[in-house]
């Protein structure tokens, strides 16, 4: 899925804003037609081919993002087997990424194609910046929730069905969609995100849409949109990696034991086939049983039984001689 780039990345370029503002202030005395030539470069035919190529590339990216995420949503909705708890996060993430493509990347494409000229007015500039921050933050928070879900599924599988219930998933997804509004629409429309100088500049130049933030908003926004989710994801996936290594080592030991046992059984069977009479006592007479000498205890028992049988035989013979002195039986 394609994730839109949030305006926090552009905050690092804020040092370049004053020269741009000077250039735009210098151009405010020009007529609208002159501004169009300055910002779009239509007057130079050599710029048409790069603009068309850039438009084709950005249009392809936007269409691919929309269709790809729509395909993910449709697949989960149409196939019952895919309707599991984990895929609830995936569907919600696909929705956030699709809205990034529709509501943020399209405006950004217009800015890129017109070389920085904003075509939609002062109010829509705030709408564009709010959508950009909102959907980008929601997308990142979805990734954070997925990492927590995978942690419980892999590291604590017995607790997973108890913790990750439908109520828990609904609560997490609700927070994912509500919390980004606190750092996007609210501070942007109230003007808390930027400086007074930039607010004055925007009022004088409604054809320019630049996202310039103050230090407080930059710290809060970057913490909620990047640092906190990043730390959570790194921690969760590190624990998942350790658990995967532990399970792999346990499986390797089990496999080794199975192989050694199979080799031992094969050797015992081969030994019995080639040496079938090695562990048997010789027959003393027809009445003596065959006893194996597999151990010292069994050997002692066999010798005692043979001795008792021999003694009993002599006792019976003496009784017969007493009853028949001739010995004819």
């Amino acid at each position: 899925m394609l994730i839109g780039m949030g305006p926090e990345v552009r905050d690092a370029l804020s040092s370049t804003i004053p020269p741009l503002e000077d250039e735009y202030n210098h151009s405010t005395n020009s007529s609208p037609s002159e501004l169009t030539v300055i910002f779009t470069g239509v007057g130079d035919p050599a710029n048409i081919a790069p603009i068309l190529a850039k438009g084709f590339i950005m249009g392809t990216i936007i269409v691919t993002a929309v269709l790809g995420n729509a395909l993910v949503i449709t697949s989960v909705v149409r196939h019952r087997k895919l309707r599991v708890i984990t895929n609830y996060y995936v569907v919600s993430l696909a929705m956030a990424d699709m809205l990034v493509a529709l509501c943020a990347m399209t405006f950004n494409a217009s800015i890129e194609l017109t070389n920085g000229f904003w075509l939609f007015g002062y109010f829509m500039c705030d709408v564009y910046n709010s959508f950009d921050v909102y959907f980008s933050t929601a997308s990142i928070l979805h990734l954070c929730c997925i990492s927590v879900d995978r942690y419980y599924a892999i590291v604590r599988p017995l607790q997973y069905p108890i913790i990750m219930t439908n109520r828990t998933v609904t609560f997490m997804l609700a927070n994912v969609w509500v919390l980004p509004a606190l750092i996007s629409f609210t501070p942007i429309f109230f003007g808390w995100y930027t400086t007074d100088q930039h607010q004055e500049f925007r009022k004088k130049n409604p054809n320019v849409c630049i996202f310039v933030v103050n230090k407080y908003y930059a710290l809060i926004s970057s913490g909620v949109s990047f640092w906190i989710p990043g730390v959570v994801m790194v921690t969760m996936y590190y624990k998942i990696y350790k658990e995967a290594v532990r399970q792999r080592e346990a499986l390797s030991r089990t496999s080794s034991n199975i192989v050694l046992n199979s080799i031992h059984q094969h050797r015992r069977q081969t030994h019995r086939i080639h040496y079938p009479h090695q562990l048997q006592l010789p027959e003393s007479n027809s009445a003596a049983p065959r006893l194996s000498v597999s151990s010292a205890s069994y050997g002692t028992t066999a010798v005692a039984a043979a001795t008792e049988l021999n003694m009993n035989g002599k006792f019976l013979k003496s009784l017969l001689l007493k009853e028949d002195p001739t010995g004819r039986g």
Side-chain angles (χ1 to χ4, degrees):
M1 302 177 190
L2 296 176
I3 303 173
M5 182 183 298
E8 290 81 4
V9 179
R10 299 196 300 269
D11 297 344
L13 303 177
S14 60
S15 59
T16 62
I17 297 303
L20 290 174
E21 292 185 354
D22 293 339
E23 179 180 354
Y24 290 131
N25 288 327
H26 177 71
S27 62
T28 52
N29 296 325
S30 302
S31 62
S33 60
E34 292 176 349
L35 286 174
T36 303
V37 172
I38 292 174
F39 289 110
T40 62
V42 176
D44 189 0
N47 292 332
I48 296 178
I51 290 175
L52 292 177
K54 186 186 295 186
F56 175 78
I57 294 174
M58 299 187 73
T60 303
I61 294 174
I62 293 173
V63 172
T64 303
V66 173
L67 295 180
N69 289 294
L71 181 62
V72 172
I73 297 172
T74 305
S75 300
V76 176
V77 171
R78 291 180 59 87
H79 294 83
R80 186 177 299 272
K81 293 182 179 179
L82 296 178
R83 299 175 191 172
V84 295
I85 291 180
T86 302
N87 287 340
Y88 293 168
Y89 299 105
V90 176
V91 170
S92 186
L93 174 62
M95 180 64 69
D97 291 342
M98 186 170 63
L99 292 174
V100 168
L102 290 174
C103 301
M105 296 176 66
T106 51
F107 288 112
N108 186 45
S110 69
I111 297 175
E112 293 295 331
L113 294 177
T114 57
N115 293 328
F117 187 75
W118 180 250
L119 304 172
F120 307 102
Y122 182 91
F123 176 77
M124 288 303 298
C125 179
D126 288 338
V127 173
Y128 158 61
N129 289 327
S130 299
F131 279 157
D132 196 0
V133 176
Y134 179 79
F135 292 123
S136 299
T137 304
S139 181
I140 296 173
L141 292 179
H142 276 92
L143 298 177
C144 183
C145 291
I146 291 175
S147 67
V148 174
D149 177 82
R150 292 298 84 202
Y151 167 78
Y152 280 101
I154 297 174
V155 180
R156 300 182 179 180
L158 298 180
Q159 300 179 6
Y160 181 78
I162 300 175
I163 297 176
M164 289 298 171
T165 60
N166 290 330
R167 180 179 298 179
T168 303
V169 174
T170 303
F171 176 76
M172 294 175 66
L173 291 178
N175 287 328
V176 163
W177 286 102
V178 171
L179 291 179
L182 301 179
I183 62 171
S184 58
F185 292 98
T186 304
I188 289 176
F189 277 96
F190 280 97
W192 300 339
Y193 74 101
T194 189
T195 60
D196 296 335
Q197 293 80 3
H198 183 67
Q199 289 283 38
E200 294 295 329
F201 168 76
R202 289 191 57 215
K203 292 178 181 179
K204 296 179 181 179
N205 300 274
N207 52 3
V208 179
C209 185
I210 305 174
F211 194 73
V212 180
V213 300
N214 53 39
K215 295 181 180 179
Y216 301 104
Y217 181 82
L219 291 175
I220 297 174
S221 178
S222 61
V224 175
S225 301
F226 179 77
W227 293 110
I228 295 177
V231 170
V232 172
M233 285 188 284
V234 170
T235 304
M236 294 295 103
Y237 285 119
Y238 174 72
K239 292 184 178 181
I240 292 173
Y241 171 76
K242 289 181 63 178
E243 179 66 17
V245 171
R246 188 188 68 82
Q247 293 185 7
R248 184 188 65 181
E249 293 176 352
L251 183 61
S252 178
R253 288 193 298 266
T254 304
S255 301
S256 300
N257 293 334
I258 293 174
V259 172
L260 291 176
N261 289 333
S262 63
I263 294 174
H264 180 66
Q265 293 292 336
H266 178 72
R267 288 181 177 177
R268 290 184 62 183
Q269 293 176 0
T270 305
H271 190 271
R272 289 177 180 177
I273 292 173
H274 291 287
Y275 305 99
H277 304 293
Q278 183 177 2
L279 299 178
Q280 292 183 353
L281 286 173
E283 296 180 358
S284 58
N285 50 38
S286 59
R290 291 184 178 180
L291 300 173
S292 62
V293 194
S294 59
S295 63
S297 60
Y298 286 109
T300 305
T301 305
V303 173
T307 304
E308 183 179 359
L309 182 60
N310 190 18
M311 294 176 63
N312 291 335
K314 291 181 180 180
F315 178 73
L316 291 174
K317 185 176 181 180
S318 63
L319 289 177
L320 292 173
L321 289 175
K322 288 181 181 180
E323 293 178 358
D324 188 5
T326 60
R328 298 177 181 177

